[in-house]
Amino acid sequence: MSSLPSRVRIVDVGPRDGLQNEKQAIPADVKVELVDRLTDAGFGAIEVTSFVSPKWVPQMADGAEVMTRIRRRPGVVYSVLVPNMKGFEGALAARADEVVVFGAASEAFSQKNINCSIAESIERFRPVAQAARQHGMHVRGAISCALGCPYQGEVKPEAVAYVARLMKDIGVQHVGVADTIGVGTPRATQAAMEAALGVYDIADVSGHFHDTYGQALANIYACLEMGIATFDTSVAGLGGCPYAKGATGNVATEDVLYLLHGLGIETGIDLGKVVAIGQWISGVLGRKAFARAGNAIAVKMAA
Ligand code: HMG
Ligand code: MG
């Protein structure tokens, strides 16, 4: 118990990773309300949108509007994904606090997701990282398919270490190790994390787990045992990646908060409010929330 962190930072990525995969058009009003309600629930960081090609991800085409309309609480980090300088210009105009460049530990996924090799992606990220730092924006890097790839299969920890090193060398300040298709199990997760920790300090490494195989909470616990204290989660378990077929959403924020609070770990986030947000957004999308603890607490709250 004593080896677990006493406080954990949760980044809700629902508005971006969650909604990017939705086929139905979601009005900007809903996206803005989602971000504002997450702000009210106490999150210190929220991934709001992405500045990518609208032909590739139509759902995020209104990113600039959403960023303008959200109500910002001082101290909260509002992040956006950017794949290149064009995306960075959007992020700068939108006054994002943090930009997230997203690479991959798998060559095949890099090609499918951002239409270039890993090496080429780093060359696109290099000016982004430089410009962001000049403008005082924090730069995070996501390493997709760190535990397996839908096109290539197995991914070794060495591939995670390789991309982490390339990111570090171009000035990326933090890396998120992402199990895009949710295939990882705890020991494999620890090996991928170790690879990133060979390059980055522990405070600058986070975990991003999709729950496709139901392993996300176990993997988060495995990370906690290593002292990792930042995780991406998605309210109501929204989402998936449009270029990772069959991948379900991120692990539900509600379930992770239930786990952390049960372990006596502080997050600063109001679980009751997050449960209500999860029920609301799932209603808007016309389905039940993918949040086990979230749904159980919602039943109790209704009674
Ligand atoms: P490309 O076609 O090779 O790019 O796509 P291009 O530079 O040749 O440009 C083609 C067109 O896109 C041009 O427009 C550009 O202006 C436009 P046209 O002349 O044809 O009208 N364009 C842009 N428009 C807006 N914003 C931009 C931008 N860049 C170019 N930033 C590109 C390359 C990277 C742009 C494309 O592949 C793309 O947008 N990919 C994004 C895919 C994506 O968003 N995937 C989901 C996020 S990653 C994820 O979910 C995983 C993560 O959660 C972690 C995990 O779970 O693993 C992060
Ligand atoms: Mg993701």
Side-chain angles (χ1 to χ4, degrees), residues 124-157:
R124 291 179 188 178
F125 302 156
R126 187 190 300 275
V128 171
Q130 197 179 3
R133 304 232 3 217
Q134 272 163 7
H135 285 90
M137 295 152 100
H138 191 256
V139 185
R140 177 154 57 92
I143 305 179
S144 292
C145 293
L147 285 143
C149 170
Y151 308 105
Q152 204 174 288
E154 194 194 355
V155 173
K156 293 211 156 70

mmCIF file of all heavy atoms in Angstrom, residues 124-157:
data_model
loop_
_atom_site.group_PDB
_atom_site.id
_atom_site.type_symbol
_atom_site.label_atom_id
_atom_site.label_comp_id
_atom_site.label_asym_id
_atom_site.label_seq_id
_atom_site.Cartn_x
_atom_site.Cartn_y
_atom_site.Cartn_z
ATOM 1 N N ARG A 124 7.902 15.766 -38.422
ATOM 2 C CA ARG A 124 6.749 16.690 -38.376
ATOM 3 C C ARG A 124 6.553 17.251 -36.973
ATOM 4 O O ARG A 124 6.090 18.372 -36.798
ATOM 5 C CB ARG A 124 5.473 15.961 -38.785
ATOM 6 C CG ARG A 124 5.466 15.580 -40.248
ATOM 7 C CD ARG A 124 4.184 14.838 -40.564
ATOM 8 N NE ARG A 124 4.227 14.306 -41.915
ATOM 9 C CZ ARG A 124 3.262 13.586 -42.462
ATOM 10 N NH1 ARG A 124 2.172 13.317 -41.750
ATOM 11 N NH2 ARG A 124 3.367 13.136 -43.678
ATOM 12 N N PHE A 125 6.875 16.422 -35.958
ATOM 13 C CA PHE A 125 6.665 16.867 -34.574
ATOM 14 C C PHE A 125 7.751 17.847 -34.129
ATOM 15 O O PHE A 125 7.526 18.663 -33.236
ATOM 16 C CB PHE A 125 6.663 15.679 -33.595
ATOM 17 C CG PHE A 125 5.620 14.615 -33.871
ATOM 18 C CD1 PHE A 125 5.819 13.302 -33.419
ATOM 19 C CD2 PHE A 125 4.441 14.909 -34.547
ATOM 20 C CE1 PHE A 125 4.864 12.314 -33.655
ATOM 21 C CE2 PHE A 125 3.486 13.925 -34.785
ATOM 22 C CZ PHE A 125 3.703 12.628 -34.339
ATOM 23 N N ARG A 126 8.928 17.727 -34.729
ATOM 24 C CA ARG A 126 10.063 18.538 -34.269
ATOM 25 C C ARG A 126 9.724 20.037 -34.258
ATOM 26 O O ARG A 126 9.841 20.691 -33.214
ATOM 27 C CB ARG A 126 11.294 18.251 -35.136
ATOM 28 C CG ARG A 126 12.579 18.908 -34.667
ATOM 29 C CD ARG A 126 13.695 18.774 -35.702
ATOM 30 N NE ARG A 126 14.030 17.384 -36.018
ATOM 31 C CZ ARG A 126 14.882 16.625 -35.313
ATOM 32 N NH1 ARG A 126 15.501 17.123 -34.270
ATOM 33 N NH2 ARG A 126 15.113 15.386 -35.681
ATOM 34 N N PRO A 127 9.260 20.618 -35.394
ATOM 35 C CA PRO A 127 8.925 22.053 -35.348
ATOM 36 C C PRO A 127 7.738 22.354 -34.442
ATOM 37 O O PRO A 127 7.650 23.447 -33.875
ATOM 38 C CB PRO A 127 8.619 22.405 -36.815
ATOM 39 C CG PRO A 127 8.310 21.103 -37.485
ATOM 40 C CD PRO A 127 9.075 20.050 -36.748
ATOM 41 N N VAL A 128 6.833 21.390 -34.290
ATOM 42 C CA VAL A 128 5.676 21.585 -33.397
ATOM 43 C C VAL A 128 6.172 21.748 -31.964
ATOM 44 O O VAL A 128 5.792 22.684 -31.251
ATOM 45 C CB VAL A 128 4.683 20.395 -33.489
ATOM 46 C CG1 VAL A 128 3.610 20.495 -32.405
ATOM 47 C CG2 VAL A 128 4.045 20.311 -34.882
ATOM 48 N N ALA A 129 7.057 20.846 -31.554
ATOM 49 C CA ALA A 129 7.570 20.894 -30.179
ATOM 50 C C ALA A 129 8.332 22.190 -29.946
ATOM 51 O O ALA A 129 8.168 22.855 -28.913
ATOM 52 C CB ALA A 129 8.464 19.684 -29.915
ATOM 53 N N GLN A 130 9.115 22.567 -30.929
ATOM 54 C CA GLN A 130 9.928 23.786 -30.800
ATOM 55 C C GLN A 130 9.027 25.027 -30.691
ATOM 56 O O GLN A 130 9.201 25.854 -29.791
ATOM 57 C CB GLN A 130 10.820 23.887 -32.039
ATOM 58 C CG GLN A 130 11.970 24.826 -31.864
ATOM 59 C CD GLN A 130 12.836 24.869 -33.130
ATOM 60 O OE1 GLN A 130 12.536 24.231 -34.150
ATOM 61 N NE2 GLN A 130 13.906 25.635 -33.056
ATOM 62 N N ALA A 131 8.058 25.115 -31.595
ATOM 63 C CA ALA A 131 7.170 26.294 -31.591
ATOM 64 C C ALA A 131 6.328 26.319 -30.315
ATOM 65 O O ALA A 131 6.131 27.382 -29.708
ATOM 66 C CB ALA A 131 6.263 26.259 -32.823
ATOM 67 N N ALA A 132 5.862 25.179 -29.896
ATOM 68 C CA ALA A 132 5.025 25.129 -28.693
ATOM 69 C C ALA A 132 5.816 25.626 -27.492
ATOM 70 O O ALA A 132 5.337 26.444 -26.697
ATOM 71 C CB ALA A 132 4.531 23.703 -28.461
ATOM 72 N N ARG A 133 7.040 25.149 -27.370
ATOM 73 C CA ARG A 133 7.852 25.556 -26.218
ATOM 74 C C ARG A 133 8.168 27.043 -26.282
ATOM 75 O O ARG A 133 8.186 27.717 -25.253
ATOM 76 C CB ARG A 133 9.103 24.678 -26.121
ATOM 77 C CG ARG A 133 8.691 23.218 -26.049
ATOM 78 C CD ARG A 133 9.200 22.348 -24.995
ATOM 79 N NE ARG A 133 10.042 22.801 -23.952
ATOM 80 C CZ ARG A 133 11.030 22.079 -23.455
ATOM 81 N NH1 ARG A 133 11.324 20.910 -23.986
ATOM 82 N NH2 ARG A 133 11.722 22.512 -22.437
ATOM 83 N N GLN A 134 8.385 27.559 -27.498
ATOM 84 C CA GLN A 134 8.615 29.012 -27.627
ATOM 85 C C GLN A 134 7.412 29.809 -27.143
ATOM 86 O O GLN A 134 7.541 30.903 -26.628
ATOM 87 C CB GLN A 134 8.885 29.385 -29.088
ATOM 88 C CG GLN A 134 10.355 29.271 -29.463
ATOM 89 C CD GLN A 134 10.557 29.237 -30.976
ATOM 90 O OE1 GLN A 134 9.620 29.434 -31.754
ATOM 91 N NE2 GLN A 134 11.790 28.971 -31.385
ATOM 92 N N HIS A 135 6.228 29.243 -27.337
ATOM 93 C CA HIS A 135 5.004 29.939 -26.925
ATOM 94 C C HIS A 135 4.561 29.552 -25.517
ATOM 95 O O HIS A 135 3.446 29.868 -25.115
ATOM 96 C CB HIS A 135 3.874 29.648 -27.925
ATOM 97 C CG HIS A 135 4.038 30.395 -29.211
ATOM 98 N ND1 HIS A 135 4.730 29.896 -30.286
ATOM 99 C CD2 HIS A 135 3.630 31.637 -29.580
ATOM 100 C CE1 HIS A 135 4.729 30.781 -31.267
ATOM 101 N NE2 HIS A 135 4.077 31.846 -30.867
ATOM 102 N N GLY A 136 5.404 28.850 -24.810
ATOM 103 C CA GLY A 136 5.089 28.496 -23.423
ATOM 104 C C GLY A 136 4.009 27.437 -23.290
ATOM 105 O O GLY A 136 3.377 27.310 -22.233
ATOM 106 N N MET A 137 3.804 26.658 -24.348
ATOM 107 C CA MET A 137 2.826 25.563 -24.253
ATOM 108 C C MET A 137 3.551 24.272 -23.882
ATOM 109 O O MET A 137 4.652 24.008 -24.349
ATOM 110 C CB MET A 137 2.122 25.362 -25.605
ATOM 111 C CG MET A 137 1.259 26.543 -26.025
ATOM 112 S SD MET A 137 1.165 26.615 -27.825
ATOM 113 C CE MET A 137 -0.410 25.874 -28.090
ATOM 114 N N HIS A 138 2.902 23.472 -23.063
ATOM 115 C CA HIS A 138 3.474 22.182 -22.692
ATOM 116 C C HIS A 138 3.319 21.214 -23.860
ATOM 117 O O HIS A 138 2.350 21.307 -24.612
ATOM 118 C CB HIS A 138 2.750 21.653 -21.445
ATOM 119 C CG HIS A 138 3.424 20.466 -20.816
ATOM 120 N ND1 HIS A 138 2.941 19.187 -20.958
ATOM 121 C CD2 HIS A 138 4.542 20.364 -20.053
ATOM 122 C CE1 HIS A 138 3.734 18.350 -20.298
ATOM 123 N NE2 HIS A 138 4.716 19.041 -19.739
ATOM 124 N N VAL A 139 4.293 20.310 -24.015
ATOM 125 C CA VAL A 139 4.235 19.345 -25.129
ATOM 126 C C VAL A 139 4.232 17.922 -24.591
ATOM 127 O O VAL A 139 5.166 17.502 -23.902
ATOM 128 C CB VAL A 139 5.451 19.493 -26.076
ATOM 129 C CG1 VAL A 139 5.280 18.571 -27.284
ATOM 130 C CG2 VAL A 139 5.629 20.934 -26.512
ATOM 131 N N ARG A 140 3.177 17.241 -24.907
ATOM 132 C CA ARG A 140 3.052 15.834 -24.518
ATOM 133 C C ARG A 140 3.120 14.984 -25.781
ATOM 134 O O ARG A 140 2.713 15.432 -26.857
ATOM 135 C CB ARG A 140 1.710 15.652 -23.799
ATOM 136 C CG ARG A 140 1.381 14.254 -23.378
ATOM 137 C CD ARG A 140 0.430 14.254 -22.170
ATOM 138 N NE ARG A 140 -0.820 14.955 -22.362
ATOM 139 C CZ ARG A 140 -1.949 14.381 -22.792
ATOM 140 N NH1 ARG A 140 -1.972 13.108 -23.118
ATOM 141 N NH2 ARG A 140 -3.065 15.090 -22.882
ATOM 142 N N GLY A 141 3.633 13.778 -25.646
ATOM 143 C CA GLY A 141 3.658 12.861 -26.785
ATOM 144 C C GLY A 141 2.877 11.613 -26.437
ATOM 145 O O GLY A 141 2.983 11.098 -25.321
ATOM 146 N N ALA A 142 2.085 11.142 -27.381
ATOM 147 C CA ALA A 142 1.381 9.869 -27.172
ATOM 148 C C ALA A 142 2.095 8.810 -28.007
ATOM 149 O O ALA A 142 2.421 9.058 -29.173
ATOM 150 C CB ALA A 142 -0.075 10.000 -27.604
ATOM 151 N N ILE A 143 2.347 7.663 -27.385
ATOM 152 C CA ILE A 143 2.939 6.538 -28.123
ATOM 153 C C ILE A 143 1.860 5.471 -28.268
ATOM 154 O O ILE A 143 1.605 4.687 -27.345
ATOM 155 C CB ILE A 143 4.183 5.972 -27.404
ATOM 156 C CG1 ILE A 143 5.208 7.089 -27.146
ATOM 157 C CG2 ILE A 143 4.785 4.831 -28.228
ATOM 158 C CD1 ILE A 143 6.473 6.620 -26.420
ATOM 159 N N SER A 144 1.211 5.476 -29.412
ATOM 160 C CA SER A 144 0.116 4.526 -29.653
ATOM 161 C C SER A 144 0.670 3.128 -29.886
ATOM 162 O O SER A 144 1.829 2.952 -30.262
ATOM 163 C CB SER A 144 -0.672 4.933 -30.893
ATOM 164 O OG SER A 144 -1.364 6.109 -30.655
ATOM 165 N N CYS A 145 -0.193 2.162 -29.702
ATOM 166 C CA CYS A 145 0.116 0.755 -29.994
ATOM 167 C C CYS A 145 1.369 0.284 -29.249
ATOM 168 O O CYS A 145 2.164 -0.499 -29.781
ATOM 169 C CB CYS A 145 0.264 0.530 -31.498
ATOM 170 S SG CYS A 145 -1.303 0.748 -32.351
ATOM 171 N N ALA A 146 1.523 0.773 -28.026
ATOM 172 C CA ALA A 146 2.697 0.414 -27.231
ATOM 173 C C ALA A 146 2.636 -1.036 -26.741
ATOM 174 O O ALA A 146 3.643 -1.600 -26.321
ATOM 175 C CB ALA A 146 2.817 1.367 -26.041
ATOM 176 N N LEU A 147 1.456 -1.634 -26.773
ATOM 177 C CA LEU A 147 1.325 -3.017 -26.278
ATOM 178 C C LEU A 147 0.801 -3.977 -27.337
ATOM 179 O O LEU A 147 0.542 -5.144 -27.047
ATOM 180 C CB LEU A 147 0.435 -3.028 -25.026
ATOM 181 C CG LEU A 147 1.201 -2.497 -23.811
ATOM 182 C CD1 LEU A 147 0.341 -1.671 -22.896
ATOM 183 C CD2 LEU A 147 1.851 -3.647 -23.063
ATOM 184 N N GLY A 148 0.645 -3.482 -28.528
ATOM 185 C CA GLY A 148 0.157 -4.340 -29.597
ATOM 186 C C GLY A 148 -0.459 -3.481 -30.675
ATOM 187 O O GLY A 148 -0.907 -2.369 -30.411
ATOM 188 N N CYS A 149 -0.438 -4.018 -31.900
ATOM 189 C CA CYS A 149 -0.903 -3.226 -33.051
ATOM 190 C C CYS A 149 -1.945 -4.020 -33.827
ATOM 191 O O CYS A 149 -1.775 -5.217 -34.041
ATOM 192 C CB CYS A 149 0.306 -2.923 -33.933
ATOM 193 S SG CYS A 149 -0.161 -2.207 -35.530
ATOM 194 N N PRO A 150 -3.009 -3.362 -34.263
ATOM 195 C CA PRO A 150 -4.048 -4.087 -35.007
ATOM 196 C C PRO A 150 -3.557 -4.567 -36.374
ATOM 197 O O PRO A 150 -4.147 -5.474 -36.953
ATOM 198 C CB PRO A 150 -5.159 -3.049 -35.174
ATOM 199 C CG PRO A 150 -4.533 -1.715 -34.977
ATOM 200 C CD PRO A 150 -3.354 -1.939 -34.071
ATOM 201 N N TYR A 151 -2.485 -3.976 -36.885
ATOM 202 C CA TYR A 151 -1.999 -4.332 -38.223
ATOM 203 C C TYR A 151 -0.752 -5.206 -38.152
ATOM 204 O O TYR A 151 -0.528 -6.062 -38.987
ATOM 205 C CB TYR A 151 -1.683 -3.057 -39.010
ATOM 206 C CG TYR A 151 -2.849 -2.087 -39.009
ATOM 207 C CD1 TYR A 151 -2.816 -0.938 -38.221
ATOM 208 C CD2 TYR A 151 -3.997 -2.346 -39.751
ATOM 209 C CE1 TYR A 151 -3.893 -0.051 -38.198
ATOM 210 C CE2 TYR A 151 -5.080 -1.470 -39.726
ATOM 211 C CZ TYR A 151 -5.019 -0.331 -38.946
ATOM 212 O OH TYR A 151 -6.090 0.528 -38.911
ATOM 213 N N GLN A 152 0.074 -4.958 -37.136
ATOM 214 C CA GLN A 152 1.395 -5.576 -37.059
ATOM 215 C C GLN A 152 1.472 -6.667 -35.991
ATOM 216 O O GLN A 152 2.417 -7.430 -35.952
ATOM 217 C CB GLN A 152 2.366 -4.446 -36.687
ATOM 218 C CG GLN A 152 3.800 -4.623 -37.057
ATOM 219 C CD GLN A 152 4.577 -3.329 -36.750
ATOM 220 O OE1 GLN A 152 4.435 -2.327 -37.438
ATOM 221 N NE2 GLN A 152 5.375 -3.349 -35.712
ATOM 222 N N GLY A 153 0.504 -6.700 -35.075
ATOM 223 C CA GLY A 153 0.540 -7.686 -33.995
ATOM 224 C C GLY A 153 1.421 -7.244 -32.849
ATOM 225 O O GLY A 153 1.281 -6.133 -32.334
ATOM 226 N N GLU A 154 2.382 -8.089 -32.499
ATOM 227 C CA GLU A 154 3.214 -7.851 -31.315
ATOM 228 C C GLU A 154 4.033 -6.555 -31.437
ATOM 229 O O GLU A 154 4.528 -6.213 -32.515
ATOM 230 C CB GLU A 154 4.176 -9.034 -31.150
ATOM 231 C CG GLU A 154 4.856 -9.080 -29.803
ATOM 232 C CD GLU A 154 6.049 -10.040 -29.772
ATOM 233 O OE1 GLU A 154 6.293 -10.736 -30.777
ATOM 234 O OE2 GLU A 154 6.734 -10.070 -28.746
ATOM 235 N N VAL A 155 4.154 -5.861 -30.311
ATOM 236 C CA VAL A 155 5.020 -4.679 -30.255
ATOM 237 C C VAL A 155 5.934 -4.858 -29.042
ATOM 238 O O VAL A 155 5.468 -5.140 -27.945
ATOM 239 C CB VAL A 155 4.188 -3.384 -30.124
ATOM 240 C CG1 VAL A 155 5.080 -2.174 -29.904
ATOM 241 C CG2 VAL A 155 3.323 -3.174 -31.383
ATOM 242 N N LYS A 156 7.204 -4.728 -29.241
ATOM 243 C CA LYS A 156 8.164 -4.978 -28.151
ATOM 244 C C LYS A 156 8.441 -3.698 -27.362
ATOM 245 O O LYS A 156 8.365 -2.593 -27.904
ATOM 246 C CB LYS A 156 9.479 -5.477 -28.751
ATOM 247 C CG LYS A 156 9.347 -6.845 -29.402
ATOM 248 C CD LYS A 156 10.662 -7.607 -29.273
ATOM 249 C CE LYS A 156 10.468 -9.106 -29.337
ATOM 250 N NZ LYS A 156 10.087 -9.573 -30.670
ATOM 251 N N PRO A 157 8.798 -3.849 -26.080
ATOM 252 C CA PRO A 157 9.143 -2.666 -25.281
ATOM 253 C C PRO A 157 10.253 -1.829 -25.925
ATOM 254 O O PRO A 157 10.281 -0.608 -25.779
ATOM 255 C CB PRO A 157 9.620 -3.255 -23.948
ATOM 256 C CG PRO A 157 9.037 -4.627 -23.890
ATOM 257 C CD PRO A 157 8.850 -5.094 -25.305
#
